[in-house]
Amino acid sequence: MVSKQKYDKMVKKQTKNSPVFKDCIKAFLIGGAICTVGQGLTDIYMKAELGKTQAQTLTSVTLIFIGVLLTALHLYEKIAKHAGAGTLVPITGFANSVASPAIEFKSEGFILGVGAKMFTIAGPVIVYGVVASVVYGLIYWVTKLF
């Protein structure tokens, strides 16, 4: 049996160091490009005589669609391989985190496959996001009382 220290040493030997600066630049550029596309879509929708709220909503829907489409075509993972967190932060990353398990487990059926696995990655984000917003709302409400 291998000791924990020896195992850690073996892992460090086999694992190559990540070029952090280069990865940060890629994440910034690709994440920024996604956000720039989003802003461009909003501008296009607003020029099409849509109100600001409608344009922003349609932009979100379009970016979600693009994220799911790229996931289904197995292109999103190739982009994410280079962009890292740059593809996780925008709304397209959330779309990918919902669509990816749904696509992966579709062979197990709609109930036990797609339905059960769709939110395995995104579920905790939704739960903690809702809980954090409730806590923030309560804090805001209490501070406004005084």
Side-chain angles (χ1 to χ4, degrees):
M1 184 167 183
V2 179
S3 70
K4 182 178 178 349
Q5 291 82 14
K6 190 170 184 177
Y7 179 77
D8 288 342
K9 188 176 179 181
M10 288 170 35
V11 168
K12 283 183 181 181
K13 185 178 179 183
Q14 295 297 318
T15 306
K16 68 176 190 171
N17 289 334
S18 176
V20 176
F21 183 74
K22 182 180 172 185
D23 290 348
C24 287
I25 296 296
K26 284 182 176 181
F28 176 78
L29 292 174
I30 295 175
I34 292 169
C35 294
T36 302
V37 167
Q39 184 61 52
L41 287 169
T42 300
D43 293 345
I44 289 168
Y45 293 143
M46 287 184 72
K47 286 184 182 180
E49 302 291 324
L50 292 175
K52 184 176 181 179
T53 303
Q54 289 175 321
Q56 290 171 336
T57 301
L58 195 52
T59 298
S60 294
V61 170
T62 305
L63 288 173
I64 290 168
F65 173 77
I66 291 169
V68 171
L69 180 65
L70 290 174
T71 299
L73 297 173
H74 302 288
L75 296 174
Y76 201 89
E77 60 196 38
K78 292 177 183 175
I79 296 168
K81 180 180 178 185
H82 297 285
T87 57
L88 295 177
V89 177
I91 196 168
T92 53
F94 185 75
N96 172 264
S97 72
V98 173
S100 189
I103 292 168
E104 184 179 345
F105 291 100
K106 70 180 179 184
S107 63
E108 295 182 26
F110 285 111
I111 305 292
L112 297 176
V114 175
K117 302 293 185 176
M118 186 183 299
F119 293 103
T120 55
I121 297 171
V125 174
I126 294 169
V127 169
Y128 289 108
V130 169
V131 169
S133 67
V134 168
V135 169
Y136 176 76
L138 287 172
I139 293 169
Y140 181 76
W141 179 69
V142 168
T143 58
K144 286 295 176 182
L145 290 176
F146 301 107

